[in-house]
Amino acid sequence: MRPFMAKWHALLSEWEKANPGVPESKWPQNQECREQLEEMRQGMLEYIRGLGQLAGAHNVEALLGDKPTG
């Protein structure tokens, strides 16, 4: 998460300073950021599922409230 946050937080902060009061949804890089966030989220879910399996957790999908893609 750290590389993602370091990159996107800095870019968004710069834009917010230059565009005070403008909603984040108007940020030109909003869609790209959200796409990369979703990629990261999917990767984290795979990691969490693996940890759950190693730990012998039952019904990990129900706990996550998410279904695997692919």
Side-chain angles (χ1 to χ4, degrees), residues 3-17:
F4 175 87
M5 294 300 294
K7 173 185 176 178
W8 289 106
H9 180 72
L11 291 172
L12 178 58
S13 290
E14 276 183 39
W15 183 81
E16 287 175 329
K17 286 177 189 172

Side-chain angles (χ1 to χ4, degrees), residues 4 7-8 11-12 15 23-40:
F4 175 87
K7 173 185 176 178
W8 289 106
L11 291 172
L12 178 58
W15 183 81
E24 185 178 313
S25 61
K26 301 295 182 188
W27 179 36
Q29 293 178 292
N30 187 26
Q31 185 63 37
E32 182 183 1
C33 177
R34 291 183 182 277
E35 288 169 3
Q36 287 186 18
L37 178 61
E38 179 60 18
E39 288 176 25
M40 182 180 66

Side-chain angles (χ1 to χ4, degrees), residues 38 41-43 45-46 49 61 66-70:
E38 179 60 18
R41 188 182 80 85
Q42 290 300 322
L45 286 172
E46 289 179 33
R49 286 184 188 100
E61 296 305 322
D66 203 9
K67 296 191 182 212
T69 58

